[in-house]
Amino acid sequence: MDWITKESDNYIFNYHTGSIAEKEIKKIISLQETCYDFICNCLNVKMNIKIKYYLCESSIEVGELYGDNEPCNGFARKPNEIYAVYNDKIKCIGFHEDAHIISYNVAIPPQTFIREGVAMFFDKVSLKIPNYIWVKFFIDNNMYVNIQELIINEIFYKYSDLITYPIAGSFIEYLITMYGIEKFKIFYGSLKEDNFETNFLQIFKISLPSANRKFIKYINSIGNNDTIFNMIKSELEERNLFK
């Protein structure tokens, strides 16, 4: 299928003739420009090129464009490409993939945990439920995974992203709130395969296990809502993640 192209201040949007994306392109542009401005201002980053957005009609199409033919709702490809499903049921737009592309101008850490944590920090929610409430549920139901485990990619990928992503997003929000965005960016840009805990201690002046314990105490100090807890439980049960 051929692509129609429409440019905005910071994007080049590509979509198919007659698609939902074509009908809603003005709304899409407005949303993504808002996300773009917020992310760039927060990270104090400037993009030298426009982001190319490919709004696909299905996860199958996204998988084909990614190259592995595995259905996928969205992915970011450096330096400036985003492929996302946009149809009547799934609208995979907003902060997440844009945060990946823009934050890559700071660095591309090897740890999936911190890359996805930054994207989820900007998302704020998972399935429209705040990240911290997911984490509170995991703590209360013995499903929480310690940060020092999740920084290891092999362990991170052992768990569902419904568990790992909210923990990552909440922890990154905790770090940025506690220590400031500039100190976080120094840490983010310093990471290599084997220096996460060493650099964490050097920059934040606290060990990662101690920060993990403080993070749990912080989450436990925030109120929760039984109705939302029941929604989380239902989602996890539906995916066979809650026992």
Side-chain angles (χ1 to χ4, degrees):
M1 297 174 68
D2 293 332
W3 297 96
I4 303 171
T5 299
K6 189 173 183 65
E7 292 196 37
S8 64
D9 290 344
N10 297 293
Y11 292 88
I12 301 172
F13 290 95
N14 301 272
Y15 46 90
H16 298 304
T17 303
S19 64
I20 302 294
E22 182 182 20
K23 296 175 184 176
E24 301 182 359
I25 191 62
K26 289 184 180 179
K27 181 172 69 174
I28 294 168
I29 289 172
S30 177
L31 174 61
Q32 295 314 125
E33 288 288 354
T34 298
C35 294
Y36 180 96
D37 287 344
F38 187 87
I39 297 166
C40 288
N41 284 327
C42 182
L43 296 179
N44 193 22
V45 165
K46 290 184 178 179
M47 291 280 292
N48 295 320
I49 52 177
K50 291 187 176 185
I51 296 176
K52 296 180 181 178
Y53 239 103
Y54 293 86
L55 298 165
C56 303
E57 296 192 288
S58 70
S59 59
I60 294 174
E61 183 183 7
V62 173
E64 290 173 349
L65 291 170
Y66 181 76
D68 62 2
N69 293 317
E70 289 290 328
C72 174
N73 284 342
F75 73 91
R77 174 178 283 154
K78 62 180 182 180
N80 69 326
E81 293 182 355
I82 294 173
Y83 298 79
V85 175
Y86 196 92
N87 56 37
D88 57 346
K89 293 182 179 179
I90 300 172
K91 292 176 170 43
C92 192
I93 57 173
F95 283 102
H96 194 98
E97 304 303 338
D98 302 59
H100 281 309
I101 289 294
I102 296 169
S103 67
Y104 291 166
N105 288 268
V106 177
I108 308 177
Q111 294 85 4
T112 303
F113 170 83
I114 197 164
R115 297 197 310 271
E116 294 300 342
V118 167
M120 290 300 292
F121 161 70
F122 285 105
D123 275 340
K124 302 298 181 192
V125 298
S126 178
L127 300 180
K128 300 182 179 181
I129 297 172
N131 291 328
Y132 78 88
I133 299 183
W134 286 93
V135 180
K136 173 63 175 168
F137 182 92
F138 299 149
I139 292 169
D140 287 356
N141 290 276
N142 297 314
M143 297 179 68
Y144 178 78
V145 186
N146 289 324
I147 307 302
Q148 51 267 41
E149 295 181 68
L150 291 178
I151 63 171
I152 302 168
N153 287 348
E154 291 78 8
I155 296 178
F156 185 91
Y157 288 119
K158 280 174 56 178
Y159 295 93
S160 166
D161 57 14
L162 206 55
I163 296 172
T164 56
Y165 278 38
I167 295 174
S170 291
F171 187 69
I172 297 308
E173 181 171 13
Y174 173 77
L175 290 181
I176 291 173
T177 303
M178 285 284 289
Y179 301 103
I181 189 65
E182 291 305 322
K183 185 169 285 189
F184 174 77
K185 282 173 62 180
I186 292 170
F187 174 66
Y188 188 82
S190 74
L191 291 173
K192 296 180 173 57
E193 291 284 352
D194 59 354
N195 70 348
F196 194 104
E197 293 201 47
T198 302
N199 283 23
F200 192 96
L201 176 60
Q202 180 179 352
I203 292 169
F204 297 122
K205 309 303 181 188
I206 185 173
S207 71
L208 187 60
S210 294
N212 181 76
R213 290 192 292 272
K214 283 191 149 188
F215 172 61
I216 291 172
K217 288 183 178 180
Y218 164 70
I219 293 295
N220 282 333
S221 73
I222 305 173
N224 61 68
N225 183 295
D226 288 340
T227 300
I228 299 178
F229 262 30
N230 287 333
M231 292 168 60
I232 292 174
K233 182 180 177 182
S234 295
E235 286 288 346
L236 294 170
E237 287 176 337
E238 188 173 325
R239 303 188 191 200
N240 295 316
L241 296 172
F242 186 81
K243 299 179 182 179

